[in-house]
Amino acid sequence: MTEKAQAKERKDGRENAVIHPLTIGSVNLANNLILGPMAGVSDLPFRLLCHEQGAGLVCTEMVSAKAIAYKNRNTRELLKVSDEERPVSLQIFGSDPVIMAEQARQIEDLHWDILDINMGCPVPKVFNNGDGSALLRNPLLAGQIIEAVAGAIHKPLTVKIRLGVSPDTINAVEMAHIAQESGAAAVAVHGRTRDQFYMGAADWEQIARVKQAVSIPVIGNGDIKSPADVQAMYEQTGVDAYMIARAAQGNPWIFRQILHFYQEGEEPVKPGPQEMCDTMLRQARMMCDLKGEYSGIREMRKQAAWYTACYPRSARLRGMVNDVETYEDLEQLFRAYFGLS
């Protein structure tokens, strides 16, 4: 066998084992790379970009079940999904089984494909209200919520958890068992405790223990920043899918880069200035169309900081972006920064 044929055989074996189609309940994903839900980040424009760059599933920002019930105006925007981004997972949070189930039933006719319950958010205002990662302290209530929601809808239900509230109360295996037995079609595990927030290294060994304990698909989350990280997580945990969140901020190409590595067996090429500028401006246009120019431009400021974090003179650009008020001025600024006409 030639060296080229041997390389192709190794590549194909790695692709089949690590990157592959995935089925969650009745939903078939083209691949097992998933954009994680991020409040204030994974809005419709950003999800579309990540879908176009190859994400097999994209997830919305988390939505309060109580806010849905109260018909909160801002919640309508969070619930917007597009057929162009599908398959898409819509994430809700709350701690009342009745409200969670009823609101899941009420929104099932929207165009999302999978419903996800957030049981991992560490933010104090969520945690202190008994929602998000606070449910890790109450496995019985968590199971009641999952069972109630799973019984209220026909679409697949998934659950996103953390390892536990603190290093002394790690119970991810127990929570994953409860999710499985209560009707969840998959579980995503962030490899940190609530007390860690996003500090320190994700504990992939705990994710591996979850994978060994349940039969539903397990989605690994935490510290995936490159194709090498995907390979390392697979080898250490054997997870069924990989959830990428913060590493996608300002970098929707990460999905394309990982797929390219496994499909072609070579390191991916980073986007050049033209593609970077065009993508930033496209996201800005979509944000202005969705949220209005005033809000869209202001929300684009943090996006611009993420996109250009490793570029020269990025600090100066961030300062200038904060003074921009219109899309036209933003376009002129970006083109000048990247040296494009």
Side-chain angles (χ1 to χ4, degrees):
M1 183 181 292
T2 66
E3 289 186 7
K4 184 175 181 180
Q6 290 174 344
K8 184 177 187 303
E9 182 177 276
R10 287 196 299 270
K11 181 201 75 174
D12 289 345
R14 180 177 59 203
E15 179 180 353
N16 291 338
V18 183
I19 303 297
H20 51 75
L22 178 68
T23 298
I24 297 178
S26 58
V27 178
N28 298 317
L29 311 183
N31 64 65
N32 54 344
L33 299 178
I34 300 172
L35 171 67
M38 293 176 282
V41 180
S42 50
D43 58 9
L44 176 55
F46 186 64
R47 297 196 308 267
L48 280 168
L49 291 178
C50 292
H51 171 80
E52 292 170 0
Q53 292 298 326
L57 178 69
V58 296
C59 301
T60 71
E61 304 174 65
M62 65 179 187
V63 185
S64 165
K66 287 184 178 179
I68 298 172
Y70 297 149
K71 303 187 185 303
N72 180 276
R73 181 189 303 178
N74 295 332
T75 300
R76 290 200 297 268
E77 181 181 299
L78 297 177
L79 291 172
K80 285 183 180 178
V81 296
S82 167
D83 286 341
E84 296 176 357
E85 64 176 315
R86 295 175 69 183
V88 58
S89 172
L90 189 149
Q91 187 183 72
I92 63 173
F93 73 96
S95 52
D96 185 313
V98 175
I99 294 176
M100 290 282 283
E102 180 57 29
Q103 297 317 305
R105 184 183 297 110
Q106 291 294 326
I107 62 174
E108 187 169 17
D109 60 346
L110 301 181
H111 288 186
W112 50 269
D113 301 278
I114 295 171
L115 188 67
D116 184 67
I117 298 178
N118 184 310
M119 294 189 176
C121 180
V123 175
K125 68 178 182 181
V126 174
F127 182 85
N128 293 338
N129 198 44
D131 303 330
S133 59
L135 289 167
L136 301 175
R137 300 182 302 187
N138 193 338
L140 177 60
L141 176 59
Q144 291 171 343
I145 292 169
I146 297 166
E147 185 173 6
V149 175
I153 61 175
H154 298 91
K155 295 178 181 179
L157 176 69
T158 60
V159 181
K160 188 170 188 290
I161 65 173
R162 283 185 170 236
L163 301 184
V165 172
S166 67
D168 297 329
T169 59
I170 288 176
N171 62 345
V173 169
E174 177 189 7
M175 291 294 295
H177 265 301
I178 289 171
Q180 176 175 276
E181 296 307 311
S182 300
V187 60
V189 186
H190 184 124
R192 292 180 175 87
T193 64
R194 184 269 168 179
D195 288 354
Q196 282 182 274
F197 282 76
Y198 300 98
M199 302 296 291
D203 188 344
W204 291 357
E205 182 56 38
Q206 293 293 339
I207 298 176
R209 293 177 183 176
V210 173
K211 171 57 184 170
Q212 295 165 5
V214 297
S215 59
I216 58 176
V218 173
I219 303 163
N221 177 221
D223 293 350
I224 301 176
K225 305 173 184 176
S226 68
D229 293 332
V230 169
Q231 182 70 27
M233 177 174 274
Y234 172 75
E235 291 176 356
Q236 185 171 342
T237 69
V239 292
D240 303 281
Y242 315 90
M243 180 171 283
I244 300 169
R246 287 180 297 157
Q249 293 176 350
N251 184 24
W253 302 280
I254 189 170
F255 301 99
R256 183 181 76 187
Q257 291 167 345
I258 293 170
L259 291 174
H260 179 84
F261 177 78
Y262 281 98
Q263 291 166 354
E264 304 300 330
E266 60 185 21
E267 289 298 322
V269 177
K270 295 183 178 180
Q274 184 71 62
E275 185 177 8
M276 178 75 76
C277 184
D278 289 347
T279 301
M280 291 171 67
L281 289 174
R282 180 157 176 250
Q283 184 173 353
R285 287 195 302 273
M286 290 192 291
M287 290 174 72
C288 289
D289 289 343
L290 179 67
K291 306 175 183 185
E293 187 173 51
Y294 181 87
S295 296
I297 292 299
R298 280 156 181 76
E299 290 191 27
M300 192 62 200
R301 291 170 179 170
K302 64 184 177 185
Q303 300 284 348
W306 290 327
Y307 274 108
T308 61
C310 296
Y311 270 70
R313 301 175 288 108
S314 60
R316 183 170 180 268
L317 174 69
R318 289 195 294 272
M320 297 175 70
V321 167
N322 288 336
D323 295 328
V324 168
E325 299 287 342
T326 67
Y327 173 81
E328 289 73 18
D329 289 342
L330 187 72
E331 180 177 11
Q332 183 177 2
L333 176 60
F334 284 171
R335 293 197 181 282
Y337 174 76
F338 287 105
L340 304 172
S341 58

